[in-house]
Amino acid sequence: MSTSKAIIKNTLFLYIRMFLTMGVSLYTSRVILNSLGVQDYGVYSVVGGIVTLFSFFNSAMTSATQRFLAFDIGANDIEQLKKTFNATLNIHIGISILVLALAETIGLWFVNYKLNLPLDRMLAVNWVYQFSVLTFLLGIIQVPYDALIIARERMNIYAYMSIVEVILKLAIVYLLVVFAFDKLILYSGLLFLVSFFVRSGHKIYCKINFEESKYKFYFEKDLYKKLISFSGWSLFGNIAGVARGQGSNILLNLFFGTVLNAAYGISMQVQGTVQTFVINFQMAVNPQIIKQYASGNKEQCLKLIFQSAKFSYFLMFIIACPILFNIDFVLELWLKNPPKYTSIFVILSVINLLIDCISGPLMIGAQASGNIKWYQITLGSFIFLCLPISYFFLKRYNDQKIIFILIIAVKNISLVGRLLFLNKLINLDIQSFVLKVLLKIVIVTAILVSLHHFINISIQNKYINFFIKSSYLTLINIVSIYFIGFDKSERNLILTFIKRKIL
């Protein structure tokens, strides 16, 4: 029960953060798109994406940092925790230097000579690129501090700092409207300043509250070897993820130009906004999965993986359905004149996200084991194939949707691969996972899609139509999930929680 209470408490804090950031994000996206225009919005999307290409170095080490900090806390080894934090900070500083060198050579060359960008906007493009690099470097050095906050399960700090971030991002919108300066340059520069301020707040919080975050140089060869080895094998999966995400954005630019990049950027923003509903839940659960494994309680670890995968999908499905089945109205209400192909990009990206909801806890389970070499090599290599296969099909059929369709297919196959690996790594029972998680997900999804097909409500007033359709979709979802998706113990847990909080 103490584990459940901690997860619920941290989830609530993270949801406060989410609603704040989501509301501002939806509002500011519309204003920014109108202020920048479709072309400049597409430019920002693809140029910022080039910097993100280098994130595979950082993402690999981020996984190691989060895993080892949570593991040391779970094992109650405070002295080792201090050494781990300082070692990860040293490594991230090294990564930032490497990324800076690559960004100012290969990255700068690619932006100026290979991307399909408007020639009259190249000065702004280079300013955007440099601000994006600085913002990215800040994020790299900040990773150990963020990972420590998550491992210590102090999620309230994210909610508090989000209030500050929301105010600053609203100020950006105001400044974009008021100032006559080049809006693309101004936007990227102001985002860098916001990132600097917020990340500094996280760092100061850690310095004040966590003794292990006070820098002291440690050098233990075995510890560095262990961290770099873990992150080195994670590199395969992270290269694949970056290639699949930002590589797809670059392919769209090379084949179709910046208008498609604007549509892709908006679809990624919708995906990121919707994804926060699940990320917040999984962020609260993930440290517990690793801590339970570290303390030797593998049965509880597996139980959390099962429940997290199922709950994550259902949570996402409740939020996604009103968007998926009212996509044209939602985009028109939000953006007024969304770029061409935005609706289909959003639909396919949300479907991708639903698959990720199931895969996320399985990835954390693999990380908890620490034995990820062949897991990352196999799945990372397979996922990476998305990029060359997408290039081949774009060249042959010139259909922009093919990128998302291929990603969906590969993610489904990768899900099967993850189950096979976790069966070996932590003795996950595949048959039990299929019956308790996947089968219930399929049944609930099929019920909603089928009923929506037969209950076709069409009211002339768009707002009333959206409200009614969203309401009955949500009601069907909740009822199906409660009686079919959850088992008896999960229903009892929910009822007990509601009674304590409401009655």
Side-chain angles (χ1 to χ4, degrees), residues 57-92:
F57 291 109
N58 187 43
S59 299
M61 194 59 213
T62 299
S63 300
T65 302
Q66 293 176 345
R67 188 267 176 187
F68 282 95
L69 290 178
F71 195 93
D72 290 342
I73 293 171
N76 199 28
D77 192 341
I78 303 302
E79 197 59 35
Q80 185 60 41
L81 177 64
K82 295 179 182 179
K83 295 177 181 179
T84 300
F85 178 84
N86 283 274
T88 57
L89 184 58
N90 290 332
I91 293 172
H92 275 90

mmCIF file of all heavy atoms in Angstrom, residues 57-92:
data_model
loop_
_atom_site.group_PDB
_atom_site.id
_atom_site.type_symbol
_atom_site.label_atom_id
_atom_site.label_comp_id
_atom_site.label_asym_id
_atom_site.label_seq_id
_atom_site.Cartn_x
_atom_site.Cartn_y
_atom_site.Cartn_z
ATOM 1 N N PHE A 57 23.466 10.309 -27.933
ATOM 2 C CA PHE A 57 24.517 10.236 -26.918
ATOM 3 C C PHE A 57 23.923 10.477 -25.536
ATOM 4 O O PHE A 57 24.168 9.736 -24.590
ATOM 5 C CB PHE A 57 25.584 11.310 -27.177
ATOM 6 C CG PHE A 57 26.409 11.087 -28.408
ATOM 7 C CD1 PHE A 57 26.257 11.901 -29.515
ATOM 8 C CD2 PHE A 57 27.340 10.061 -28.462
ATOM 9 C CE1 PHE A 57 27.015 11.711 -30.649
ATOM 10 C CE2 PHE A 57 28.103 9.860 -29.605
ATOM 11 C CZ PHE A 57 27.947 10.687 -30.698
ATOM 12 N N ASN A 58 23.166 11.546 -25.436
ATOM 13 C CA ASN A 58 22.590 11.940 -24.150
ATOM 14 C C ASN A 58 21.515 10.969 -23.688
ATOM 15 O O ASN A 58 21.451 10.617 -22.504
ATOM 16 C CB ASN A 58 22.012 13.349 -24.272
ATOM 17 C CG ASN A 58 21.554 13.896 -22.941
ATOM 18 O OD1 ASN A 58 22.251 13.737 -21.948
ATOM 19 N ND2 ASN A 58 20.399 14.517 -22.919
ATOM 20 N N SER A 59 20.645 10.530 -24.607
ATOM 21 C CA SER A 59 19.546 9.628 -24.233
ATOM 22 C C SER A 59 20.067 8.319 -23.671
ATOM 23 O O SER A 59 19.506 7.765 -22.719
ATOM 24 C CB SER A 59 18.656 9.356 -25.451
ATOM 25 O OG SER A 59 18.086 10.549 -25.923
ATOM 26 N N ALA A 60 21.154 7.819 -24.257
ATOM 27 C CA ALA A 60 21.737 6.563 -23.777
ATOM 28 C C ALA A 60 22.216 6.716 -22.340
ATOM 29 O O ALA A 60 21.972 5.862 -21.487
ATOM 30 C CB ALA A 60 22.886 6.145 -24.685
ATOM 31 N N MET A 61 22.888 7.822 -22.050
ATOM 32 C CA MET A 61 23.402 8.049 -20.706
ATOM 33 C C MET A 61 22.286 8.395 -19.735
ATOM 34 O O MET A 61 22.365 8.085 -18.536
ATOM 35 C CB MET A 61 24.440 9.170 -20.753
ATOM 36 C CG MET A 61 25.277 9.279 -19.492
ATOM 37 S SD MET A 61 26.174 7.760 -19.125
ATOM 38 C CE MET A 61 26.158 7.815 -17.334
ATOM 39 N N THR A 62 21.211 9.035 -20.226
ATOM 40 C CA THR A 62 20.063 9.347 -19.369
ATOM 41 C C THR A 62 19.453 8.075 -18.802
ATOM 42 O O THR A 62 19.105 8.008 -17.611
ATOM 43 C CB THR A 62 19.008 10.136 -20.166
ATOM 44 O OG1 THR A 62 19.568 11.369 -20.615
ATOM 45 C CG2 THR A 62 17.790 10.435 -19.304
ATOM 46 N N SER A 63 19.297 7.057 -19.636
ATOM 47 C CA SER A 63 18.748 5.773 -19.181
ATOM 48 C C SER A 63 19.622 5.183 -18.080
ATOM 49 O O SER A 63 19.111 4.689 -17.064
ATOM 50 C CB SER A 63 18.659 4.790 -20.355
ATOM 51 O OG SER A 63 17.832 5.284 -21.366
ATOM 52 N N ALA A 64 20.932 5.237 -18.279
ATOM 53 C CA ALA A 64 21.851 4.701 -17.271
ATOM 54 C C ALA A 64 21.760 5.495 -15.974
ATOM 55 O O ALA A 64 21.747 4.921 -14.874
ATOM 56 C CB ALA A 64 23.285 4.726 -17.810
ATOM 57 N N THR A 65 21.702 6.826 -16.096
ATOM 58 C CA THR A 65 21.635 7.687 -14.908
ATOM 59 C C THR A 65 20.397 7.393 -14.083
ATOM 60 O O THR A 65 20.477 7.194 -12.853
ATOM 61 C CB THR A 65 21.640 9.173 -15.328
ATOM 62 O OG1 THR A 65 22.817 9.441 -16.094
ATOM 63 C CG2 THR A 65 21.615 10.081 -14.116
ATOM 64 N N GLN A 66 19.243 7.351 -14.721
ATOM 65 C CA GLN A 66 17.995 7.098 -14.006
ATOM 66 C C GLN A 66 17.985 5.713 -13.374
ATOM 67 O O GLN A 66 17.540 5.545 -12.234
ATOM 68 C CB GLN A 66 16.812 7.259 -14.960
ATOM 69 C CG GLN A 66 16.610 8.694 -15.426
ATOM 70 C CD GLN A 66 15.518 8.839 -16.445
ATOM 71 O OE1 GLN A 66 15.064 7.862 -17.038
ATOM 72 N NE2 GLN A 66 15.069 10.064 -16.682
ATOM 73 N N ARG A 67 18.505 4.743 -14.107
ATOM 74 C CA ARG A 67 18.501 3.373 -13.600
ATOM 75 C C ARG A 67 19.402 3.219 -12.379
ATOM 76 O O ARG A 67 19.005 2.675 -11.344
ATOM 77 C CB ARG A 67 18.943 2.415 -14.713
ATOM 78 C CG ARG A 67 18.805 0.936 -14.360
ATOM 79 C CD ARG A 67 20.060 0.339 -13.786
ATOM 80 N NE ARG A 67 19.865 -1.053 -13.384
ATOM 81 C CZ ARG A 67 20.770 -1.764 -12.725
ATOM 82 N NH1 ARG A 67 21.914 -1.217 -12.380
ATOM 83 N NH2 ARG A 67 20.520 -3.018 -12.390
ATOM 84 N N PHE A 68 20.649 3.717 -12.454
ATOM 85 C CA PHE A 68 21.604 3.494 -11.375
ATOM 86 C C PHE A 68 21.304 4.341 -10.140
ATOM 87 O O PHE A 68 21.525 3.883 -9.010
ATOM 88 C CB PHE A 68 23.034 3.752 -11.877
ATOM 89 C CG PHE A 68 23.587 2.615 -12.697
ATOM 90 C CD1 PHE A 68 23.505 2.638 -14.075
ATOM 91 C CD2 PHE A 68 24.151 1.514 -12.089
ATOM 92 C CE1 PHE A 68 23.999 1.591 -14.841
ATOM 93 C CE2 PHE A 68 24.649 0.454 -12.834
ATOM 94 C CZ PHE A 68 24.569 0.484 -14.220
ATOM 95 N N LEU A 69 20.787 5.549 -10.318
ATOM 96 C CA LEU A 69 20.402 6.350 -9.156
ATOM 97 C C LEU A 69 19.250 5.692 -8.407
ATOM 98 O O LEU A 69 19.270 5.585 -7.175
ATOM 99 C CB LEU A 69 20.014 7.768 -9.595
ATOM 100 C CG LEU A 69 21.146 8.674 -10.091
ATOM 101 C CD1 LEU A 69 20.589 10.022 -10.546
ATOM 102 C CD2 LEU A 69 22.204 8.881 -9.012
ATOM 103 N N ALA A 70 18.223 5.259 -9.148
ATOM 104 C CA ALA A 70 17.082 4.585 -8.514
ATOM 105 C C ALA A 70 17.506 3.267 -7.870
ATOM 106 O O ALA A 70 17.016 2.895 -6.798
ATOM 107 C CB ALA A 70 15.979 4.341 -9.548
ATOM 108 N N PHE A 71 18.441 2.572 -8.517
ATOM 109 C CA PHE A 71 18.910 1.289 -7.988
ATOM 110 C C PHE A 71 19.640 1.494 -6.660
ATOM 111 O O PHE A 71 19.418 0.751 -5.696
ATOM 112 C CB PHE A 71 19.850 0.622 -8.997
ATOM 113 C CG PHE A 71 20.105 -0.838 -8.726
ATOM 114 C CD1 PHE A 71 19.331 -1.815 -9.332
ATOM 115 C CD2 PHE A 71 21.106 -1.231 -7.851
ATOM 116 C CE1 PHE A 71 19.574 -3.166 -9.085
ATOM 117 C CE2 PHE A 71 21.350 -2.572 -7.597
ATOM 118 C CZ PHE A 71 20.579 -3.543 -8.215
ATOM 119 N N ASP A 72 20.501 2.503 -6.587
ATOM 120 C CA ASP A 72 21.230 2.778 -5.340
ATOM 121 C C ASP A 72 20.281 3.182 -4.218
ATOM 122 O O ASP A 72 20.474 2.796 -3.058
ATOM 123 C CB ASP A 72 22.251 3.898 -5.567
ATOM 124 C CG ASP A 72 23.417 3.461 -6.442
ATOM 125 O OD1 ASP A 72 23.611 2.242 -6.589
ATOM 126 O OD2 ASP A 72 24.110 4.337 -7.004
ATOM 127 N N ILE A 73 19.246 3.975 -4.545
ATOM 128 C CA ILE A 73 18.262 4.367 -3.534
ATOM 129 C C ILE A 73 17.476 3.141 -3.075
ATOM 130 O O ILE A 73 17.218 2.956 -1.882
ATOM 131 C CB ILE A 73 17.313 5.449 -4.096
ATOM 132 C CG1 ILE A 73 18.091 6.748 -4.350
ATOM 133 C CG2 ILE A 73 16.160 5.716 -3.127
ATOM 134 C CD1 ILE A 73 17.311 7.809 -5.091
ATOM 135 N N GLY A 74 17.087 2.279 -4.050
ATOM 136 C CA GLY A 74 16.357 1.056 -3.700
ATOM 137 C C GLY A 74 17.181 0.129 -2.829
ATOM 138 O O GLY A 74 16.651 -0.552 -1.939
ATOM 139 N N ALA A 75 18.496 0.093 -3.079
ATOM 140 C CA ALA A 75 19.397 -0.746 -2.275
ATOM 141 C C ALA A 75 19.814 -0.053 -0.978
ATOM 142 O O ALA A 75 20.557 -0.631 -0.173
ATOM 143 C CB ALA A 75 20.635 -1.098 -3.096
ATOM 144 N N ASN A 76 19.365 1.209 -0.786
ATOM 145 C CA ASN A 76 19.672 1.998 0.414
ATOM 146 C C ASN A 76 21.181 2.165 0.626
ATOM 147 O O ASN A 76 21.682 2.093 1.749
ATOM 148 C CB ASN A 76 19.032 1.354 1.655
ATOM 149 C CG ASN A 76 18.916 2.340 2.807
ATOM 150 O OD1 ASN A 76 18.813 3.552 2.590
ATOM 151 N ND2 ASN A 76 18.951 1.830 4.027
ATOM 152 N N ASP A 77 21.897 2.407 -0.463
ATOM 153 C CA ASP A 77 23.351 2.596 -0.419
ATOM 154 C C ASP A 77 23.660 4.064 -0.725
ATOM 155 O O ASP A 77 23.920 4.441 -1.870
ATOM 156 C CB ASP A 77 24.025 1.670 -1.438
ATOM 157 C CG ASP A 77 25.535 1.601 -1.252
ATOM 158 O OD1 ASP A 77 26.092 2.512 -0.602
ATOM 159 O OD2 ASP A 77 26.156 0.652 -1.772
ATOM 160 N N ILE A 78 23.636 4.909 0.298
ATOM 161 C CA ILE A 78 23.765 6.358 0.118
ATOM 162 C C ILE A 78 25.167 6.739 -0.347
ATOM 163 O O ILE A 78 25.327 7.641 -1.183
ATOM 164 C CB ILE A 78 23.423 7.101 1.425
ATOM 165 C CG1 ILE A 78 22.011 6.732 1.890
ATOM 166 C CG2 ILE A 78 23.548 8.607 1.227
ATOM 167 C CD1 ILE A 78 20.932 7.032 0.868
ATOM 168 N N GLU A 79 26.185 6.077 0.183
ATOM 169 C CA GLU A 79 27.553 6.412 -0.228
ATOM 170 C C GLU A 79 27.774 6.120 -1.706
ATOM 171 O O GLU A 79 28.408 6.905 -2.413
ATOM 172 C CB GLU A 79 28.554 5.613 0.628
ATOM 173 C CG GLU A 79 29.977 6.141 0.589
ATOM 174 C CD GLU A 79 30.095 7.580 1.067
ATOM 175 O OE1 GLU A 79 29.353 7.970 1.980
ATOM 176 O OE2 GLU A 79 30.930 8.314 0.492
ATOM 177 N N GLN A 80 27.234 5.000 -2.163
ATOM 178 C CA GLN A 80 27.342 4.667 -3.579
ATOM 179 C C GLN A 80 26.522 5.638 -4.426
ATOM 180 O O GLN A 80 26.914 5.982 -5.543
ATOM 181 C CB GLN A 80 26.861 3.227 -3.821
ATOM 182 C CG GLN A 80 27.032 2.732 -5.252
ATOM 183 C CD GLN A 80 28.471 2.738 -5.717
ATOM 184 O OE1 GLN A 80 29.372 2.381 -4.964
ATOM 185 N NE2 GLN A 80 28.701 3.149 -6.955
ATOM 186 N N LEU A 81 25.410 6.102 -3.880
ATOM 187 C CA LEU A 81 24.565 7.067 -4.584
ATOM 188 C C LEU A 81 25.341 8.357 -4.873
ATOM 189 O O LEU A 81 25.239 8.920 -5.968
ATOM 190 C CB LEU A 81 23.317 7.377 -3.754
ATOM 191 C CG LEU A 81 22.353 8.424 -4.322
ATOM 192 C CD1 LEU A 81 21.750 7.957 -5.640
ATOM 193 C CD2 LEU A 81 21.239 8.721 -3.305
ATOM 194 N N LYS A 82 26.124 8.828 -3.893
ATOM 195 C CA LYS A 82 26.935 10.031 -4.097
ATOM 196 C C LYS A 82 27.932 9.829 -5.225
ATOM 197 O O LYS A 82 28.113 10.702 -6.084
ATOM 198 C CB LYS A 82 27.675 10.386 -2.809
ATOM 199 C CG LYS A 82 26.786 10.796 -1.652
ATOM 200 C CD LYS A 82 27.627 11.099 -0.414
ATOM 201 C CE LYS A 82 26.741 11.473 0.762
ATOM 202 N NZ LYS A 82 27.546 11.740 1.985
ATOM 203 N N LYS A 83 28.574 8.684 -5.228
ATOM 204 C CA LYS A 83 29.571 8.401 -6.266
ATOM 205 C C LYS A 83 28.918 8.287 -7.639
ATOM 206 O O LYS A 83 29.450 8.773 -8.640
ATOM 207 C CB LYS A 83 30.321 7.110 -5.930
ATOM 208 C CG LYS A 83 31.148 7.202 -4.666
ATOM 209 C CD LYS A 83 31.822 5.866 -4.348
ATOM 210 C CE LYS A 83 32.631 5.964 -3.052
ATOM 211 N NZ LYS A 83 33.279 4.672 -2.712
ATOM 212 N N THR A 84 27.749 7.644 -7.672
ATOM 213 C CA THR A 84 27.041 7.473 -8.954
ATOM 214 C C THR A 84 26.620 8.815 -9.522
ATOM 215 O O THR A 84 26.805 9.080 -10.714
ATOM 216 C CB THR A 84 25.801 6.576 -8.766
ATOM 217 O OG1 THR A 84 26.216 5.289 -8.288
ATOM 218 C CG2 THR A 84 25.060 6.399 -10.085
ATOM 219 N N PHE A 85 26.059 9.686 -8.678
ATOM 220 C CA PHE A 85 25.615 10.998 -9.165
ATOM 221 C C PHE A 85 26.779 11.793 -9.744
ATOM 222 O O PHE A 85 26.680 12.369 -10.831
ATOM 223 C CB PHE A 85 24.950 11.798 -8.046
ATOM 224 C CG PHE A 85 24.527 13.171 -8.487
ATOM 225 C CD1 PHE A 85 23.319 13.364 -9.127
ATOM 226 C CD2 PHE A 85 25.363 14.266 -8.294
ATOM 227 C CE1 PHE A 85 22.930 14.626 -9.571
ATOM 228 C CE2 PHE A 85 24.989 15.537 -8.734
ATOM 229 C CZ PHE A 85 23.774 15.712 -9.365
ATOM 230 N N ASN A 86 27.873 11.865 -9.017
ATOM 231 C CA ASN A 86 29.006 12.652 -9.483
ATOM 232 C C ASN A 86 29.641 12.064 -10.731
ATOM 233 O O ASN A 86 30.089 12.800 -11.621
ATOM 234 C CB ASN A 86 30.039 12.783 -8.357
ATOM 235 C CG ASN A 86 29.637 13.808 -7.318
ATOM 236 O OD1 ASN A 86 29.897 14.987 -7.469
ATOM 237 N ND2 ASN A 86 28.965 13.362 -6.259
ATOM 238 N N ALA A 87 29.662 10.751 -10.829
ATOM 239 C CA ALA A 87 30.200 10.111 -12.036
ATOM 240 C C ALA A 87 29.329 10.424 -13.249
ATOM 241 O O ALA A 87 29.833 10.735 -14.340
ATOM 242 C CB ALA A 87 30.311 8.603 -11.829
ATOM 243 N N THR A 88 28.002 10.357 -13.072
ATOM 244 C CA THR A 88 27.109 10.650 -14.191
ATOM 245 C C THR A 88 27.200 12.114 -14.612
ATOM 246 O O THR A 88 27.118 12.432 -15.798
ATOM 247 C CB THR A 88 25.641 10.318 -13.836
ATOM 248 O OG1 THR A 88 25.250 11.054 -12.664
ATOM 249 C CG2 THR A 88 25.461 8.827 -13.574
ATOM 250 N N LEU A 89 27.402 13.013 -13.644
ATOM 251 C CA LEU A 89 27.550 14.431 -13.978
ATOM 252 C C LEU A 89 28.812 14.656 -14.803
ATOM 253 O O LEU A 89 28.798 15.399 -15.800
ATOM 254 C CB LEU A 89 27.592 15.270 -12.699
ATOM 255 C CG LEU A 89 27.648 16.790 -12.889
ATOM 256 C CD1 LEU A 89 26.452 17.279 -13.706
ATOM 257 C CD2 LEU A 89 27.690 17.496 -11.540
ATOM 258 N N ASN A 90 29.917 14.016 -14.410
ATOM 259 C CA ASN A 90 31.165 14.128 -15.179
ATOM 260 C C ASN A 90 30.993 13.608 -16.603
ATOM 261 O O ASN A 90 31.457 14.221 -17.570
ATOM 262 C CB ASN A 90 32.288 13.350 -14.489
ATOM 263 C CG ASN A 90 32.743 14.010 -13.197
ATOM 264 O OD1 ASN A 90 32.631 15.227 -13.050
ATOM 265 N ND2 ASN A 90 33.235 13.219 -12.264
ATOM 266 N N ILE A 91 30.300 12.493 -16.726
ATOM 267 C CA ILE A 91 30.097 11.899 -18.057
ATOM 268 C C ILE A 91 29.228 12.807 -18.925
ATOM 269 O O ILE A 91 29.486 12.986 -20.117
ATOM 270 C CB ILE A 91 29.474 10.492 -17.928
ATOM 271 C CG1 ILE A 91 30.475 9.535 -17.262
ATOM 272 C CG2 ILE A 91 29.067 9.956 -19.296
ATOM 273 C CD1 ILE A 91 29.895 8.191 -16.908
ATOM 274 N N HIS A 92 28.193 13.405 -18.322
ATOM 275 C CA HIS A 92 27.313 14.291 -19.101
ATOM 276 C C HIS A 92 28.032 15.563 -19.548
ATOM 277 O O HIS A 92 27.749 16.093 -20.630
ATOM 278 C CB HIS A 92 26.062 14.646 -18.290
ATOM 279 C CG HIS A 92 24.980 13.620 -18.391
ATOM 280 N ND1 HIS A 92 24.877 12.571 -17.526
ATOM 281 C CD2 HIS A 92 23.979 13.469 -19.296
ATOM 282 C CE1 HIS A 92 23.847 11.826 -17.862
ATOM 283 N NE2 HIS A 92 23.283 12.352 -18.937
#
